[in-house]
């Protein structure tokens, strides 16, 4: 690309089930990263969305 770094702008989506106070996670429009909605400039987690959703549905994150 002619030596020019290209910035990829990801759009973030918050669950429609999230709390009104914003305490939830967000997923990128590219479906490969998660972040804490309270810290949008903080770290992100690269994730296999299919495996992650399967784990959530299986209750692996239930307390």
């Amino acid at each position: 690309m002619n030596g020019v770094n290209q910035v990829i702008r990801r759009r973030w989506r918050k669950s429609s089930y999230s709390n009104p106070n914003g305490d939830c996670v967000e997923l990128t429009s590219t479906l490969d990263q998660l972040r804490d909605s309270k810290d949008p400039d903080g770290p992100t987690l690269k994730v296999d969305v299919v495996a992650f959703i399967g784990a959530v549905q299986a209750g692996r994150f239930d307390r």
Side-chain angles (χ1 to χ4, degrees):
M1 295 208 294
N2 300 330
V4 176
N5 290 334
Q6 193 174 31
V7 175
I8 297 172
R9 305 279 273 156
R10 288 184 172 81
R11 289 180 305 170
W12 293 89
R13 290 189 61 173
K14 190 184 304 185
S15 170
S16 59
Y17 293 100
S18 66
N19 293 330
N21 63 3
D23 290 345
C24 66
V25 296
E26 296 175 314
L27 177 64
T28 60
S29 57
T30 54
L31 304 177
D32 66 347
Q33 291 184 31
L34 294 173
R35 73 177 180 188
D36 182 347
S37 63
K38 296 181 305 299
D39 188 11
D41 295 322
T44 62
L45 176 65
K46 191 139 180 96
V47 66
D48 176 342
V49 173
V50 174
F52 178 75
I53 291 173
V56 170
Q57 290 174 334
R60 293 193 51 209
F61 299 103
D62 293 349
R63 290 185 179 190

